[in-house]
């Protein structure tokens, strides 16, 4: 986690160091706003006695882009970039519209650094429920910061590496990491442990990526974060018809709230997932519903 | 004996000055040609690749000879530890590096650094293309000057040195 410190200019780096090294407050996010105090969010919100000045902003932006903003155009358009260590930096600035669509972002000024934290082993209790001789398709449902991605990452690790304690053999696992958040790839290489038999398709749209991987990489398990677009349904159907287990997540407070979204409702009604795991903001999960397919 | 030595010294000095001036004319043209080649590479690597500026600068340094290649290598080395904007570093390099270019050439080269690494691909590419166009014009004028004045400076140096030596003899 300390790798994130290298991206900050000196006054901020010094102020942050003790908090990051000791993981005080259980830091999840570091927020930077022009002319304002640096804020750290974890168990509580805490303001550091250091300002995010204009020169700090330029230095920070130069660091995170390696002085090469031009090569991150697509990521910037999406609103975030992933840096070494798998940390994700979201930002806001001035959107540049072309034909009514966001074509670029300029004057990036507000930053949210989400620290990637690996919590190896947190999926093991869940494995008892979703692994019976083979992995079964599971949908994780939870609000932001409920730990969906962390849990999904550990599921991928368990699928790809197996578990001798639980007699789970490693299987061919593919992570479709559209937002580079699960594996935290940097130049195509995962920065986080997603398993030994795991292949990662980085920065690719989920539905397209799932189709590509089913055809070319013969996966046993597909892992994808935050599904919900209409085209995801077709890709999920394709995967399940090919006998591939899918581990995915979706933003919602509960299964019923998720089902209010037409796409998720169709997915639930089609019985594409066998298990639904609902997470709350305290990062606790329950298997709320088991959909037994014929 | 001393008079002959003095004669040769004055003549040799004049000749050396002429050759030095002629070399400057040729070097300016050569350095501008190197900068044009470097920026053409820079622009195409930005446009068609996804490399960091440091990587691009190193690639250029590997393919362009000194002094411009060396300048790009030093720029890449310094960039890894540079805490401010890349443009500021480039301007600093342009001010500090010994080059045989004119003040106008140097101003154009500094322009290349303005906003370096802070713009989107298209803007960065457009800015570099403009710099390349301006440098091409400077290079053409430098080559024409070298063609016209380099030999003149050489023979002028030899003749001027000889004349001064005769006068002092």
């Amino acid at each position: 986690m300390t790798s994130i410190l290298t991206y900050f200019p000196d006054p901020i780096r010094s102020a942050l160091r003790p908090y990051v090294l000791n993981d005080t407050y259980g830091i999840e996010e570091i927020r930077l706003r022009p002319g304002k105090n640096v804020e750290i969010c974890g168990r509580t919100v805490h303001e550091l006695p250091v300002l995010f000045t204009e020169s700090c902003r330029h230095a920070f932006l130069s660091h995170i882009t390696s002085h090469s903003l031009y090569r991150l155009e697509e990521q910037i358009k999406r609103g975030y970039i992933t840096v070494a260590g798998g940390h994700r930096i979201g930002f806001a600035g001035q959107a540049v519209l072309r034909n009514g669509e966001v074509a670029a972002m300029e004057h990036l000024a507000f930053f949210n650094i989400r620290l990637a934290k690996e919590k190896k082993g947190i999926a093991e209790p869940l494995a008892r429920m979703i692994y019976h001789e083979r992995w079964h398709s599971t949908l994780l449902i939870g609000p932001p910061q409920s730990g969906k991605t962390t849990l999904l990452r550990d599921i991928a690790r368990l699928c790809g590496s197996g578990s001798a304690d639980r007699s789970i053999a490693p299987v061919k696992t593919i992570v479709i990491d559209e937002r580079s958040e699960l594996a935290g790839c940097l130049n195509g290489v995962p920065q986080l442990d997603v398993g030994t038999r795991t292949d990662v398709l980085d920065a690719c749209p989920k539905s397209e990526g799932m189709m590509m991987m089913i055809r070319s990489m013969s996966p046993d398990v597909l892992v994808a974060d935050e599904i919900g677009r209409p085209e995801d349904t077709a890709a999920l159907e394709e995967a399940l018809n090919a006998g591939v287990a899918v581990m995915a997540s979706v933003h919602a407070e509960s299964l019923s709230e998720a089902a209010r979204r037409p796409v998720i409702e169709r997915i639930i009604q089609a019985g594409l997932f066998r298990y639904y795991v609902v997470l709350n903001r305290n990062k606790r999960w329950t298997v709320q519903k088991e959909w037994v397919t014929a | 004996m001393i008079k002959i030595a003095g004669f040769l010294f004055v003549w040799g000095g004049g000749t050396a000055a002429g050759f030095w001036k002629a070399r400057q004319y040729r070097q300016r043209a050569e350095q501008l040609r190197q900068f044009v080649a470097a920026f053409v590479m820079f622009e195409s690597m930005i446009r068609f690749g996804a490399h960091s500026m440091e990587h691009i600068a190193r690639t250029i340094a590997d393919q362009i000879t000194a002094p411009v290649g060396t300048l790009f290598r030093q720029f890449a080395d310094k960039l890894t530890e540079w805490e401010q904007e890349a443009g500021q570093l480039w301007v600093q390099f342009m001010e500090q590096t010994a080059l045989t270019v004119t003040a106008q050439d140097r101003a154009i080269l500094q322009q290349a650094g303005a906003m370096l690494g802070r713009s989107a691909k298209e803007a960065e590419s457009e800015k570099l293309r403009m710099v390349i166009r301006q440098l091409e014009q400077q290079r053409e004028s430098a080559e024409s000057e070298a063609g016209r004045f380099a030999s003149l400076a050489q023979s002028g140096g030899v003749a001027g040195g000889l004349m001064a030596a005769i006068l002092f003899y």
Side-chain angles (χ1 to χ4, degrees), chain B residues 8 17 24 27 37 40-41 54 59 64 67 70 74 81 89 99-101 109 116-117 136 144 149 151-152 157:
Chain B
L8 290 174
Q24 275 207 319
Q27 272 188 341
V40 166
M41 277 175 71
E54 188 203 332
T59 310
I64 306 272
T70 313
Q74 287 167 346
E81 61 195 41
L89 180 65
L99 296 164
T100 40
V101 293
L109 289 167
L116 197 65
E136 275 287 7
S144 130
F149 303 126
S151 316
L152 198 68

Side-chain angles (χ1 to χ4, degrees), chain A residues 13 58-59 67-69 73, chain B residues 51 53 83 85 117-118 121:
Chain A
R13 191 188 308 147
H58 288 308
H67 303 280
S68 317
L69 198 69
E73 244 177 70
Chain B
H51 301 292
M53 190 173 302
E83 293 243 323
E85 288 168 9
R118 281 178 58 193
K121 200 172 262 192

Side-chain angles (χ1 to χ4, degrees), chain A residues 16-80:
Chain A
L16 272 173
R17 182 170 282 117
Y19 295 92
V20 173
L21 291 180
N22 306 324
D23 197 15
T24 324
Y25 301 103
I27 305 179
E28 288 175 352
E29 290 179 356
I30 300 164
R31 303 196 80 115
L32 308 172
R33 300 179 182 96
K36 301 283 191 314
N37 287 73
V38 175
E39 181 183 292
I40 53 177
C41 308
R43 285 186 288 275
T44 55
V45 176
H46 184 71
E47 276 190 0
L48 300 185
V50 59
L51 291 176
F52 186 52
T53 59
E54 188 63 7
S55 69
C56 285
R57 184 172 78 86
H58 288 308
F60 180 68
L61 198 55
S62 295
H63 273 148
I64 62 172
T65 60
S66 304
H67 303 280
S68 317
L69 198 69
Y70 53 84
R71 70 179 186 142
L72 300 168
E73 244 177 70
E74 281 306 309
Q75 290 97 314
I76 285 169
K77 223 158 54 177
R78 289 194 309 221
Y80 64 87

Side-chain angles (χ1 to χ4, degrees), chain A:
Chain A
M1 198 164 85
T2 51
S3 61
I4 194 66
L5 285 173
T6 56
Y7 292 98
F8 293 98
D10 193 38
I12 298 178
R13 191 188 308 147
S14 304
L16 272 173
R17 182 170 282 117
Y19 295 92
V20 173
L21 291 180
N22 306 324
D23 197 15
T24 324
Y25 301 103
I27 305 179
E28 288 175 352
E29 290 179 356
I30 300 164
R31 303 196 80 115
L32 308 172
R33 300 179 182 96
K36 301 283 191 314
N37 287 73
V38 175
E39 181 183 292
I40 53 177
C41 308
R43 285 186 288 275
T44 55
V45 176
H46 184 71
E47 276 190 0
L48 300 185
V50 59
L51 291 176
F52 186 52
T53 59
E54 188 63 7
S55 69
C56 285
R57 184 172 78 86
H58 288 308
F60 180 68
L61 198 55
S62 295
H63 273 148
I64 62 172
T65 60
S66 304
H67 303 280
S68 317
L69 198 69
Y70 53 84
R71 70 179 186 142
L72 300 168
E73 244 177 70
E74 281 306 309
Q75 290 97 314
I76 285 169
K77 223 158 54 177
R78 289 194 309 221
Y80 64 87
I81 58 170
T82 305
V83 295
H87 311 294
R88 202 174 83 168
I89 301 175
F91 33 70
Q94 187 180 1
V96 179
L97 300 182
R98 227 169 272 144
N99 303 324
E101 286 184 5
V102 178
M105 283 260 263
E106 284 182 351
H107 309 296
L108 304 178
F110 302 86
F111 302 89
N112 175 21
I113 301 102
R114 289 186 70 177
L115 302 181
K117 287 183 177 175
E118 280 185 296
K119 291 186 179 167
K120 290 185 187 178
I122 58 163
E124 298 220 4
L126 182 64
R128 276 203 307 261
M129 311 184 79
I130 62 174
Y131 182 87
H132 305 291
E133 293 175 356
R134 67 182 187 90
W135 291 98
H136 293 281
S137 294
T138 302
L139 182 64
L140 309 184
I141 299 159
Q145 292 192 300
S146 57
K148 294 186 296 296
T149 305
T150 312
L151 184 59
L152 202 57
R153 184 185 301 124
D154 204 47
I155 292 174
R157 185 191 62 80
L158 262 182
C159 295
S161 298
S163 167
D165 296 346
R166 299 188 184 280
S167 306
I168 299 174
V171 293
K172 289 178 286 179
T173 305
I174 308 276
V175 173
I176 316 288
D177 202 2
E178 184 170 352
R179 300 183 307 157
S180 307
E181 208 174 18
L182 281 168
C185 280
L186 188 72
N187 301 326
V189 180
Q191 304 288 300
L192 303 166
D193 185 2
V194 282
T196 47
R197 292 192 73 198
T198 303
D199 307 311
V200 181
L201 179 62
D202 186 45
C204 181
K206 278 178 286 287
S207 52
E208 208 176 328
M210 280 195 265
M211 295 290 202
M212 281 162 62
M213 293 298 99
I214 292 163
R215 288 177 199 135
S216 61
M217 299 292 274
S218 64
D220 296 314
V221 176
L222 270 175
V223 181
D225 208 2
E226 291 177 20
I227 56 164
R229 282 184 299 214
E231 58 270 29
D232 293 344
T233 320
L236 284 169
E237 279 172 352
E238 180 80 14
L240 291 161
N241 290 336
V244 179
V246 178
M247 308 291 168
S249 69
V250 66
H251 266 312
E253 290 279 348
S254 62
L255 181 59
S256 54
E257 188 185 297
R260 281 205 286 273
R261 291 160 69 180
V263 173
I264 305 297
E265 186 190 16
R266 270 202 303 281
I267 288 171
I268 292 171
Q269 282 180 354
L272 296 179
F273 287 99
R274 185 153 180 188
Y275 295 103
Y276 298 94
V277 178
V278 181
L279 293 99
N280 63 25
R281 287 183 194 272
N282 298 323
K283 299 179 174 40
R284 300 195 185 284
W285 52 262
T286 48
V287 179
Q288 195 167 322
K289 185 177 179 183
E290 184 174 341
W291 191 287
V292 182
T293 50

